[in-house]
Amino acid sequence: MKHIYCISGFGADERVFSKLDFGENDVHFIPWIIPEKHESIVSYAQRMGKDIAHPNPVLIGLSFGGMMSIEIAKIIPVEKIILLSSVSTLHELPLYMKIAGGLHLNRLIPMKPYPILEPLENYNLGVKSPEQKKLVKEYRKTLNLQYSNWAIDQVVTWKNEEIPATVIHIHGTKDHIFPIRYIQKPDYIIRGGGHLISMNNAEEVSGILKKIL
């Protein structure tokens, strides 16, 4: 039995993993915390990592949670890092994110939900069911502005350049947030899978996880 620690995507929680089957392994969820003023991603990863109580865990990160898993793995030894709909280096970020980060365009306006953009956001996330629409809407309502501004800034200015040897990458071919054409070495490809492969392609992803674990 392995100890698995899951980190959800931007502003989300453990419910994005609720449809996955982790087998007989012991699963834990690390919640997002409010960043301190001008906190670095390294400092934030150190604080998040304090929730890990077992040696050599398996980290599973969805989207921004995958990036944070890599940062945590720079601090503590881990057995594996499993990325879902994420990126492993700054080179895998889409061009518009690199431009936004380079010019700090994200700092010009508050990174908060705008109702007029919800249909586009749902499309980019790959939201399909009424259940998912309700869940995403709830995430928007509870999103902390200090966290969202910090998190977006960390994504578009991420500096990691090397793919860790422990990384296993699972990615969908229809991911609109992190398009697969930018992903250097996907280990498992979910055909037709969008950004929410943990929910919409849960059976296929669960089969891959069982094989990996």
Side-chain angles (χ1 to χ4, degrees), residues 82-86 168-172 175 185-190 197 204-205 208-209 212:
I82 301 175
L83 302 182
L84 303 178
S85 306
S86 189
I168 298 173
H169 199 147
I170 306 173
H171 213 88
D175 191 316
K185 296 179 181 179
D187 296 284
Y188 296 91
I189 295 174
I190 307 296
I197 54 173
E204 187 174 353
V205 173
I208 293 171
L209 291 178
I212 294 171

Side-chain angles (χ1 to χ4, degrees), residues 81-210:
I81 307 166
I82 301 175
L83 302 182
L84 303 178
S85 306
S86 189
V87 295
S88 55
T89 74
L90 65 89
H91 305 295
E92 295 181 335
L93 292 172
L95 181 60
Y96 78 91
M97 288 191 186
K98 293 178 182 177
I99 292 173
L103 299 176
H104 301 297
L105 299 179
N106 58 294
R107 299 178 187 178
L108 300 179
I109 57 173
M111 292 294 106
K112 65 180 182 179
Y114 295 95
I116 195 173
L117 297 178
E118 286 185 15
L120 177 60
E121 291 172 354
N122 288 347
Y123 170 77
N124 286 336
L125 288 170
V127 170
K128 292 185 176 181
S129 68
E131 173 193 10
Q132 291 172 13
K133 285 183 180 179
K134 182 179 178 182
L135 182 62
V136 170
K137 199 172 190 67
E138 185 177 330
Y139 287 153
R140 291 188 184 107
K141 285 183 179 178
T142 58
L143 188 64
N144 178 278
L145 188 58
Q146 184 175 331
Y147 164 83
S148 65
N149 279 288
W150 177 87
I152 293 294
D153 194 59
Q154 299 310 310
V155 170
V156 299
T157 62
W158 200 36
K159 303 301 183 187
N160 188 61
E161 295 202 34
E162 295 185 9
I163 301 175
T166 52
V167 160
I168 298 173
H169 199 147
I170 306 173
H171 213 88
T173 59
K174 291 189 176 180
D175 191 316
H176 298 301
I177 304 293
F178 297 124
I180 196 167
R181 65 181 178 274
Y182 296 112
I183 305 303
Q184 295 169 289
K185 296 179 181 179
D187 296 284
Y188 296 91
I189 295 174
I190 307 296
R191 299 293 173 187
H195 199 61
L196 289 178
I197 54 173
S198 64
M199 302 187 80
N200 291 324
N201 306 85
E203 186 175 350
E204 187 174 353
V205 173
S206 294
I208 293 171
L209 291 178
K210 287 179 181 178

Side-chain angles (χ1 to χ4, degrees), residues 30-63:
I30 305 180
W32 292 110
I33 52 181
I34 304 303
E36 297 173 355
K37 191 173 183 179
H38 305 306
E39 184 168 19
S40 69
I41 198 169
V42 175
S43 170
Y44 191 92
Q46 289 173 334
R47 292 203 294 135
M48 277 196 96
K50 290 179 181 178
D51 283 348
I52 297 175
H54 303 89
N56 242 28
V58 173
L59 303 182
I60 298 181
L62 174 68
S63 193

